[in-house]
Every structure is written in structure tokens, then in C-alpha cells.
Amino acid sequence: MKKKYLILILSISLVLCVICFYKYKSILFGENSKNIQLNASSSNNTTSLSNNTAQSSSNNTAQSSSNNTAQSSSNNTAQSSSNNTAQSSSNNGTVSSNSLSNSGQSIYEKVKDYIINGQNNLSSAERLNWSKRFLDQVDLKTLYNEYISSGGNTNNVEDFAKYITLNAPPPSNWQELFEEDYYDLYGKKIQPSKFTSLGDNLYQVYINQNGSEVPYVVVSSRTGYFHG
């Protein structure tokens, strides 16, 4: 009889143990699963954050390096260009020809002023006679470079004025310029019938007068100066 009850009690105890085991199994292992999942998620997030941080740092470093390189290259290029320009200007002896003197005039302005206004103390035979129209057509820069290359004095205005009087090429429209100068001086148009070369860029101008072609004035095709 006692043995029967003992078996019954053991059976009930076993059933209760099984029930308890299954009851708490889901809670116990479910919690652990969640913890494992959370830990895995946290690990993934940490890894992702680490990767993003590394990538951001790498990008920023690369971009900063690229910007610094570009800026350095730009600055070096600008500085090199500036230095080359300055050196070129320094090495080119013709640049000084356009530099301002203490009077504030360039050599070109000074030579024009001398020819037009600065020879009043000279005789007519000594003067360098120029038409202002013709003088304005002269490429003074090119002639100045040639003058310096031939050994001319950089600051000798009178010498340079003589040089251009002897070496300036006649303008292609010198006949039209002459006719404009004639009109300004006499207030009437001249109607040349022909121009005959006398040599050294001098031309005899003919006009029709009383049905005949007669010599009228002599004009320099280089300077524009004319006389009867």
C-alpha cells in the first residue's frame, strides 16, 4: 500500500517537474535569445558606426588633401606667372621705353611734344618739320626699339626725334593726310592732278591751273611737311 502511494507521489512529482521545465523554458531561453539578438544588433551597429567613422575620416582627409593640393597648385601657378611676367618685363629692354620719367611723360609723349612745341629756339633750317597728323600715324614704339638696338641714348629726346624723322616709314594714306592738312591751313580743298617723286620721300604736287598742269607744292610723304 505504501509502495503504491510512493509511486503515485513520484509520478506526480515527475509530471510537475516536466510542467515546470516547459513552463520556464520559453521564458529562460527566449530571454537569452533576445539578449543574444540585442548583442548581435549592438555589435552590428558598432561595426557600422566604426565603418562610417573610418569612411568619413578617410573622405575628409582625401578631400582636404585634394583641396590643399589644388590650392597649392593654383597659388604656385599664379606666383610663377607673376614672377615670369615680372622677370620678362625686367629682361625686355624695350619695356623701359614706355616708363614714365620724373616729369610724368613717357619717351613717346616727350618726343611728340618736342617736335610740335619744343623747337621754337631753332631756325627753320634746323627744325624737324612734321605734320601732327603724320606724327600721330608713326609707330613710335617700334622705332624706339630700333633706335635703342642701333645704340641710341634711351633718354635723348632730340636724338630720337632726329631718328624718326629720318627712318619713319610713310603712312599708306599720306596723300589723303596731306590734303586734310592743306584744307586746315588754307580753308579750301586742294585737287592734285598728280604726284611726282623727287627722291627721299619727297613729292612734287601738281594741280590744274588755267587748263595747264603746273607744279604747286612739295610734300614729304614721311613727315607731311609741305612748302611751295
Side-chain angles (χ1 to χ4, degrees):
M1 186 69 178
K2 292 181 179 180
K3 186 177 181 181
K4 182 179 179 182
Y5 284 112
L6 180 59
I7 294 172
L8 180 62
I9 291 171
L10 289 175
S11 299
I12 294 171
S13 298
L14 182 59
V15 171
L16 291 175
C17 288
V18 172
I19 292 173
C20 290
F21 175 77
Y22 281 101
K23 179 178 181 181
Y24 292 99
K25 178 182 178 181
S26 61
I27 297 174
L28 191 60
F29 287 94
E31 187 69 25
N32 289 337
S33 177
K34 289 181 179 178
N35 290 335
I36 292 171
Q37 186 175 1
L38 288 174
N39 289 336
S41 176
S42 176
S43 176
N44 290 336
N45 290 337
T46 302
T47 302
S48 176
L49 178 60
S50 175
N51 290 337
N52 289 338
T53 302
Q55 184 176 2
S56 175
S57 175
S58 176
N59 289 340
N60 290 337
T61 301
Q63 184 174 3
S64 175
S65 175
S66 176
N67 290 340
N68 290 337
T69 301
Q71 183 174 4
S72 174
S73 175
S74 177
N75 291 338
N76 289 338
T77 301
Q79 184 174 2
S80 175
S81 176
S82 176
N83 290 339
N84 289 338
T85 301
Q87 185 173 3
S88 175
S89 297
S90 175
N91 292 337
N92 188 353
T94 62
V95 174
S96 61
S97 66
N98 201 28
S99 60
L100 296 180
S101 66
N102 292 332
S103 64
Q105 288 182 309
S106 70
I107 187 67
Y108 310 138
E109 294 170 329
K110 290 170 71 175
V111 76
K112 281 186 176 183
D113 185 61
Y114 170 74
I115 290 174
I116 300 301
N117 304 311
Q119 303 183 85
N120 295 330
N121 60 331
L122 301 178
S123 66
S124 58
E126 295 174 317
R127 290 177 186 173
L128 305 174
N129 297 303
W130 275 82
S131 155
K132 187 177 184 303
R133 273 195 178 88
F134 278 69
L135 188 58
D136 288 339
Q137 299 291 315
V138 176
D139 184 358
L140 292 176
K141 183 176 180 180
T142 298
L143 284 173
Y144 185 81
N145 293 340
E146 295 173 356
Y147 167 71
I148 296 301
S149 298
S150 65
N153 188 327
T154 57
N155 294 316
N156 193 325
V157 175
E158 295 181 16
D159 196 38
F160 180 43
K162 292 176 183 177
Y163 181 86
I164 66 174
T165 301
L166 294 174
N167 295 282
S172 59
N173 60 337
W174 68 268
Q175 294 181 6
E176 290 80 1
L177 296 177
F178 156 68
E179 293 177 19
E180 291 175 6
D181 280 344
Y182 185 91
Y183 180 83
D184 287 347
L185 183 63
Y186 295 107
K188 61 180 180 180
K189 291 184 177 182
I190 185 174
Q191 296 179 335
S193 58
K194 68 178 181 179
F195 294 85
T196 302
S197 175
L198 302 176
D200 195 24
N201 295 293
L202 296 176
Y203 285 83
Q204 178 71 63
V205 182
Y206 289 82
I207 61 172
N208 287 318
Q209 190 175 58
N210 299 325
S212 300
E213 195 172 64
V214 296
Y216 189 61
V217 295
V218 174
V219 59
S220 168
S221 62
R222 173 181 288 128
T223 68
Y225 175 73
F226 63 90
H227 58 87

